[in-house]
């Protein structure tokens, strides 16, 4: 019975276009406890990363955004209170978007951003960013860095980074529409799910098969590990 439950849970997660919440999964599979459905989803999300995935290559758009929390009254476009900083990188495939990567970031300084891009993008690739000074170390890190400046006062302007802007907009709509917001301590696994869906959006059945294969190659994650991470984060926030 347990194997069948996990099989159908993986199928629903991989093929349900907008994603599925724990409440929806509980209802669909007639799971008695919400906590069980929540745990199943979190374990599946942790199986969505291929440890042998190839780096992004060719031409890549890179940007960052803040998710959740509230806007700060302080000046500066990158100042936010209670939000999670998320880095976004997407391959350019003509006018379309290629493979996507998203990660929670620890800062906006040059060392952090250069190290993050170096983990995701093949050396020598063209990396397009906005004019933020934090991206100033990309050329030294081995990339063909081509910053673009956004003309904010032109209502008819073309976005400097259209593919990454679209990915950010879709992410925020998905988090609010399907999951009604996500806590910072679990943000990365939701980003992993969003990336998994985006990169396999045209082949949902193949995504299901991929998820089953990836799930078998990962070490199991226990409920204690997931909850301990949450408690650790709460302790950091409360001091």
């Amino acid at each position: 019975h347990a194997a069948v439950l996990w099989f159908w849970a993986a199928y629903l997660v991989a093929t349900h276009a907008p994603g599925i919440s724990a409440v929806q999964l509980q209802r669909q599979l007639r799971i008695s406890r919400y906590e069980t459905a929540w745990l199943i989803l979190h374990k599946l999300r942790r199986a969505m990363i291929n440890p042998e995935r190839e780096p992004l290559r060719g031409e890549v758009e890179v940007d960052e955004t803040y998710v959740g929390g509230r806007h700060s009254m302080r000046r500066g476009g990158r100042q936010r209170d209670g939000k999670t900083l998320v880095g976004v990188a997407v391959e350019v495939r003509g006018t379309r978007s290629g493979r996507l990567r998203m990660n929670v970031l620890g800062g906006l300084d040059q060392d952090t951003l250069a190290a993050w891009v170096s983990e995701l993008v093949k050396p020598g690739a063209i990396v397009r960013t906005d004019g933020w000074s934090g991206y100033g170390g990309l050329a030294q890190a081995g990339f063909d860095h081509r910053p673009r400046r956004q003309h904010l006062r032109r209502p008819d302007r073309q976005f400097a980074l259209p593919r990454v802007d679209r990915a950010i907009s879709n992410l925020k709509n998905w988090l609010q529409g399907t999951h009604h917001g996500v806590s910072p301590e679990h943000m990365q696994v939701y980003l992993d799910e969003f990336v998994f869906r985006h990169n396999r959006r045209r082949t949902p059945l193949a995504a299901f098969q991929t998820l089953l294969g990836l799930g078998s190659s990962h070490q199991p994650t226990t409920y204690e590990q997931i909850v301990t991470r949450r408690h650790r984060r709460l302790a950091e926030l409360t001091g």
Side-chain angles (χ1 to χ4, degrees):
H1 177 72
V4 173
L5 177 66
W6 279 94
F7 180 90
W8 281 110
Y11 176 81
L12 291 173
V13 168
T15 61
H16 198 267
I20 190 167
S21 68
V23 171
Q24 291 171 315
L25 185 69
Q26 181 187 13
R27 185 182 304 119
Q28 288 275 355
L29 298 182
R30 298 180 180 179
I31 299 171
S32 59
R33 299 179 68 245
Y34 168 84
E35 290 79 6
T36 302
W38 182 89
L39 179 62
I40 289 172
L41 284 180
H42 271 264
K43 287 191 173 186
L44 288 173
R45 290 181 183 117
R46 282 166 171 75
M48 288 180 174
I49 292 296
N50 184 353
E52 299 179 355
R53 65 184 182 181
E54 293 291 323
L56 305 182
R57 62 185 66 228
E59 184 176 339
V60 182
E61 291 182 1
V62 172
D63 201 0
E64 80 293 326
T65 188
Y66 286 88
V67 179
R70 63 186 186 282
H71 287 276
S72 172
M73 297 303 292
R74 292 175 295 175
R75 298 179 62 185
R78 282 175 162 83
Q79 300 295 329
R80 298 293 186 271
D81 289 334
K83 289 178 173 283
T84 305
L85 177 61
V86 174
V88 182
V90 59
E91 286 178 330
V92 175
R93 299 251 179 103
T95 60
R96 302 168 67 179
S97 298
R99 292 177 298 159
L100 174 69
R101 300 284 187 266
M102 290 182 170
N103 296 94
V104 173
L105 297 178
L108 288 167
D109 57 279
Q110 288 193 8
D111 290 342
T112 298
L113 292 178
W116 169 62
V117 174
S118 296
E119 288 181 2
L120 303 178
V121 182
K122 187 177 179 63
I126 297 170
V127 177
R128 299 194 182 275
T129 69
D130 61 15
W132 173 243
S133 61
Y135 293 114
L138 292 183
Q140 187 176 357
F143 300 102
D144 182 357
H145 182 212
R146 302 184 187 181
R148 292 176 172 179
R149 297 196 177 276
Q150 197 91 291
H151 299 287
L152 297 177
R153 296 186 179 181
R154 287 179 51 190
D156 61 338
R157 65 181 168 82
Q158 290 186 338
F159 287 104
L161 304 166
R163 296 160 193 82
V164 79
D165 286 341
R166 184 165 56 246
I168 289 172
S169 177
N170 290 341
L171 170 68
K172 292 181 177 180
N173 290 336
W174 179 73
L175 289 175
Q176 288 299 325
T178 300
H179 301 291
H180 307 294
V182 173
S183 58
E185 64 269 19
H186 292 304
M187 180 62 70
Q188 185 59 58
V189 294
Y190 285 87
L191 298 178
D192 294 340
E193 178 184 354
F194 185 85
V195 168
F196 180 89
R197 292 182 179 284
H198 171 91
N199 292 345
R200 297 163 181 82
R201 61 195 181 279
R202 296 185 181 89
T203 56
L205 290 179
F208 168 55
Q209 294 175 327
T210 300
L211 181 56
L212 291 179
L214 290 176
S216 64
S217 65
H218 281 263
Q219 291 294 324
T221 305
T222 66
Y223 177 76
E224 286 73 19
Q225 288 174 316
I226 296 172
V227 173
T228 299
R229 187 173 304 170
R230 175 180 176 85
H231 288 167
R232 187 185 306 122
R233 174 63 179 175
L234 289 175
E236 292 171 355
L237 292 175
T238 59

